[in-house]
Amino acid sequence: MKDTKILHVTDFHLENADAIDEFLSKGSYQRYINSLVKEIKKDFETIDCIVATGDFVDCGKGENFEHAKLILFSLAAEFNLSPKNIGVCIGNHDIKCTFKRKKIDTSKDDKTQFNLFSTNFSNKLSFLFKTDRANLSSLAENVYLLALDSTFNRKANSPGKFLKTEAKGILQMLKDSSVDNPDNILIIASHYPIRYFDSFYDSEDIDKHFWQSAVYLKMEIQENINQAKILYLFGDTHQSDREIHEQQAFIMTSRWGIKIPRPEDDPKKKSDISQEAKLIHYLKNRSLKIHTFSYHSKIHKLDANDGHWVGESPIKIDLQTKHADLIKGRYEKDLDLKIIQQIKLDGLYRFDRFLVNKEGEEKISLGWISINNLLKEQKNGILSEIIVSTKDYLEEKIRDISVKDVLYVGIDYWGSIISSQLSVMTGSINYCRALRGSEKHYTKSEQFSETDLETLFINIKYVVFITDVVSTGSTLRRIYEKIISNPVLEAKTKEIKFITISVMSDRRQRKKADLGFLYAFGTFCNNLRIPVVDKEDLPDEGILPSKKHFY
């Protein structure tokens, strides 16, 4: 995964592009943009894409869409981006509507001007699919945008009713377009927030802002899109908030544009909400930083011509690990392919019914590979390549760390062999124990003891688990929980970073266990399909007998 930088702006609310009392008016917008760009470029010379989440104009004033387009084009040009790198979605103010008895007549909603406006951006220039509710487009390399129309099928000036059939259709289109890849970021943009934020507690009319009926889509995506990083971007509320759940980031950004209050305006209607833009920075090490930029006037009253943007200290967040990075070999750059070819050549793959967890968890693997036969043959060079390439991968992840700060934990036979060799090469401590499954087949001396935990881990900063295959992830989770449950280590383990290295881990197989505790997760083969299913999804063993069990 490469570094990716996404700029989020929302709620321009252009009422009169020719006015002098709007920050984004024709006479002020360039100075306003230049100040923001200058602040961003203190840390980032360029970015990858821009997403704007609706309310480009105010109260359906479609004559201002042309100026909104100019604003986005000007912002993109400052970072050498093209219109294809800009994504937009509709807001409630972008609809030309009529009123009946002082209420919006949604049956006469007119989105013509917005639809024409959106043709200038990725939504139409590089779209992959489109429905009345959503369109998917490519924003940049490995970055995709699912732009949602949160006003479609609305009954009043509130989010539109979202149907479960729509969610299933969108999910199927996402699967068909191969978005779900570990290298990809899927941005889901909607004007109304799909997630409930704590800041909503202050709102008396939350039903007009929270898109409750679309939560089902969020749940479907969370359950079925297992590899891509998912970023939700929202507008509408003019509030700033964030939530992170597993690999999903939910970002709500305050308004970017604003009409400058005039002396004759009702003081009660004035807002002290500052203008804001956010830059979401995905880093190579599977974490992200949220950079917030706020506009400050030099004088007490708002002034578009006498203020500047200020960047706040970024918030860094480590994302949960659901799959492993593919580790390149030091000499065999396509080591993943070589492993698969060797498995084919020697006939090492078995397709059957195999119990892979301790009793009670009811998980069945339909595939099994003879790792012993794969790695014991020295002529193919796979084992030696894994050892030296593991060292390279770890040096990249934990630079400038003393060898005394690292503990290798070799899990079972091949994990122990690899970790022992690494210990010799690096001088770090090596701890080899039989830990797979329920541990019921091992002697007491082969398992973690309380003494081991307290003496080995007390001064360690990095723990590196090394194993042959990670299928469900339950063994790793069980080891981790055993370590952190030790009362002597309770405070210490919060500072330890855990890393896992495996020979194999199917990238398309969602890990059943929560591996969010991992700082990094690498494997040498992630393209070999090893399906794991719930036992209840298979026929009775009387119909499909179980020939082998392993723990």
Side-chain angles (χ1 to χ4, degrees), residues 5 7 30 32-48 50 73-81 277-279 291-293 309-312:
K5 296 167 282 291
L7 180 62
Q30 196 61 62
Y32 191 64
I33 287 175
N34 289 346
S35 175
L36 173 60
V37 171
K38 181 180 178 181
E39 189 67 16
I40 293 173
K41 287 192 173 183
K42 288 180 179 179
D43 295 308
F44 307 103
E45 186 57 34
T46 187
I47 61 176
D48 294 274
I50 299 169
F73 280 6
S74 298
L75 179 61
E78 295 291 339
F79 296 102
N80 296 317
L81 300 179
K278 281 194 173 76
L279 190 146
H291 297 256
T292 299
F293 301 90
W309 287 87
V310 176
E312 301 174 7

Side-chain angles (χ1 to χ4, degrees), residues 111-130:
K111 302 178 183 180
T112 306
Q113 291 299 316
F114 172 81
N115 290 337
L116 184 62
F117 165 74
S118 68
T119 61
N120 296 282
F121 309 107
S122 72
N123 305 59
K124 294 294 178 66
L125 297 177
S126 58
F127 75 92
L128 303 175
F129 73 73
K130 185 180 186 304

Side-chain angles (χ1 to χ4, degrees), residues 83-351:
K84 289 184 178 180
N85 304 125
I86 305 172
V88 301
C89 67
I90 193 170
N92 57 304
H93 277 267
D94 298 321
I95 303 171
K96 184 178 181 181
C97 55
T98 57
F99 289 83
K100 187 177 181 180
R101 296 178 182 177
K102 296 184 179 182
K103 292 184 179 181
I104 294 176
D105 184 0
T106 57
S107 66
K108 297 183 179 180
D109 280 354
D110 184 356
K111 302 178 183 180
T112 306
Q113 291 299 316
F114 172 81
N115 290 337
L116 184 62
F117 165 74
S118 68
T119 61
N120 296 282
F121 309 107
S122 72
N123 305 59
K124 294 294 178 66
L125 297 177
S126 58
F127 75 92
L128 303 175
F129 73 73
K130 185 180 186 304
T131 67
D132 289 335
R133 176 68 75 185
N135 62 72
L136 179 71
S137 60
S138 173
L139 273 186
E141 182 182 1
N142 300 120
V143 182
Y144 295 86
L145 172 70
L146 179 66
L148 300 176
D149 182 349
S150 54
T151 69
F152 180 69
N153 202 21
R154 68 175 185 162
K155 297 300 182 183
N157 193 24
S158 55
K161 181 68 175 177
F162 195 96
L163 305 177
K164 290 185 177 181
T165 52
E166 292 181 285
K168 293 184 181 298
I170 290 172
L171 185 64
Q172 188 58 52
M173 287 187 282
L174 288 174
K175 290 181 177 180
D176 292 343
S177 44
S178 301
V179 168
D180 195 17
N181 184 292
D183 295 327
N184 293 342
I185 297 170
L186 173 61
I187 303 172
I188 302 172
S190 69
H191 184 61
Y192 292 114
I194 299 175
R195 183 178 179 87
Y196 191 91
F197 292 91
D198 289 342
S199 56
F200 288 169
Y201 284 117
D202 298 329
S203 177
E204 296 179 357
D205 52 354
I206 186 60
D207 291 340
K208 293 182 180 179
H209 301 283
F210 176 36
W211 195 11
Q212 175 85 46
S213 61
V215 171
Y216 181 78
L217 174 65
K218 175 178 71 70
M219 294 169 60
E220 283 289 287
I221 289 175
Q222 177 182 338
E223 181 66 26
N224 293 282
I225 304 300
N226 301 320
Q227 302 172 76
K229 276 69 67 180
I230 300 175
L231 170 64
Y232 286 86
L233 297 176
F234 309 124
D236 178 62
T237 64
H238 300 182
Q239 296 186 75
S240 181
D241 213 334
R242 71 182 188 281
E243 293 286 348
I244 308 295
H245 180 66
E246 293 186 345
Q247 284 191 307
Q248 299 183 113
F250 300 85
I251 308 295
M252 189 166 63
T253 301
S254 185
R255 62 191 177 189
W256 195 39
I258 183 177
K259 180 180 177 181
I260 301 170
R262 294 166 296 201
E264 61 269 25
D265 288 337
D266 183 353
K268 295 181 180 179
K269 293 184 178 180
K270 292 181 182 180
S271 174
D272 58 359
I273 299 173
S274 65
Q275 302 92 290
E276 185 179 89
K278 281 194 173 76
L279 190 146
I280 299 90
H281 180 198
Y282 283 87
L283 289 82
K284 292 180 181 179
N285 64 358
R286 207 181 301 283
S287 62
L288 64 82
K289 288 184 178 180
I290 302 173
H291 297 256
T292 299
F293 301 90
S294 302
Y295 186 80
H296 295 256
S297 292
K298 292 182 179 178
I299 55 179
H300 291 297
K301 69 175 184 177
L302 289 172
D303 190 333
N305 299 311
D306 193 17
H308 61 284
W309 287 87
V310 176
E312 301 174 7
S313 298
I315 299 168
K316 185 177 179 180
I317 298 164
D318 292 324
L319 297 173
Q320 176 180 331
T321 300
K322 284 188 176 180
H323 54 78
D325 299 319
L326 182 62
I327 305 175
K328 299 292 185 180
R330 178 187 290 185
Y331 307 109
E332 291 279 354
K333 298 304 178 185
D334 294 320
L335 185 57
D336 182 34
L337 181 60
K338 181 175 180 178
I339 289 173
I340 294 174
Q341 288 175 337
Q342 195 68 47
I343 290 171
K344 290 180 181 179
L345 182 64
D346 297 338
L348 303 180
Y349 194 100
R350 296 290 182 270
F351 196 73

